[in-house]
Amino acid sequence: MMSVLQRALPFILTLVVGIALGSVLKRADRATTPGFEATSSCKMRQRQMTLMPPPPPLPLPPSFESDALTAGEVTRTATIIHDSQPLYTRAARRNNVTGTVRLRVVLAADGTVRDIVPLTTLPDGLTEQAVEAARNIEFTPASKDGRAVSQEVTVEYKFNIY
């Protein structure tokens, strides 16, 4: 009996040390994995994804209208006569979404609104409501040297729950 125990003891010790080292190495691997943070619990170990910063905004597409000018390039800037307010969606009210939607808009020489590009957005359909409101802008076109020209402007719509 003693000889069996003497032969098995080194094997048992090696097995216990191996399991302990494997557990330690596994914990170290979890702690160094990028993008993950290990959190402990009484019953089990979980891995949670850490919040990463949002990706940089995509570059704006070139305007479809090549003759759109900025406010500094025109003699008389475009004048907005009527700007309708966007509607709040039910989902945005339910989720208490507030903030500002900024749009880049071309006020064309022929009196139409073109090339609406969101610069900042909000969830739950508020960006779409802002784009729809921008489509309904009534304005007098900008002019340069006595003729009507297209002007690129930035429009902001603020959404607040009162």
Side-chain angles (χ1 to χ4, degrees):
M1 179 79 166
M2 189 62 134
S3 66
V4 173
L5 187 60
Q6 286 176 343
R7 289 184 189 161
L9 190 60
F11 176 74
I12 293 171
L13 287 175
T14 304
L15 183 64
V16 169
V17 170
I19 291 172
L21 282 176
S23 177
V24 169
L25 292 177
K26 197 173 198 180
R27 283 187 198 144
D29 183 45
R30 284 183 187 163
T32 59
T33 302
F36 286 94
E37 177 183 291
T39 59
S40 62
S41 147
C42 294
K43 294 184 180 179
M44 61 185 210
R45 183 169 286 279
Q46 294 176 312
R47 289 169 49 167
Q48 294 178 337
M49 188 167 191
T50 58
L51 295 176
M52 302 300 284
L58 296 174
L60 295 174
S63 179
F64 296 113
E65 190 167 326
S66 61
D67 62 343
L69 304 174
T70 62
E73 299 172 319
V74 298
T75 309
R76 186 179 53 87
T77 59
T79 306
I80 295 177
I81 299 167
H82 177 70
D83 185 14
S84 62
Q85 290 300 313
L87 301 175
Y88 231 103
T89 62
R90 286 183 182 174
R93 282 192 192 282
R94 184 179 14 184
N95 295 325
N96 294 322
V97 177
T98 60
T100 303
V101 174
R102 294 181 67 224
L103 305 172
R104 186 185 74 181
V105 176
V106 173
L107 303 176
D110 62 359
T112 60
V113 178
R114 297 188 185 155
D115 301 337
I116 301 171
V117 178
L119 300 175
T120 59
T121 61
L122 288 175
D124 295 327
L126 294 181
T127 301
E128 291 79 6
Q129 289 294 323
V131 168
E132 189 60 37
R135 282 193 184 110
N136 297 323
I137 293 175
E138 295 176 15
F139 64 96
T140 56
S143 64
K144 182 173 182 176
D145 301 327
R147 68 179 184 88
V149 293
S150 298
Q151 181 184 350
E152 192 173 287
V153 297
T154 301
V155 181
E156 289 186 349
Y157 293 100
K158 295 183 190 283
F159 292 91
N160 294 312
I161 298 177
Y162 296 104

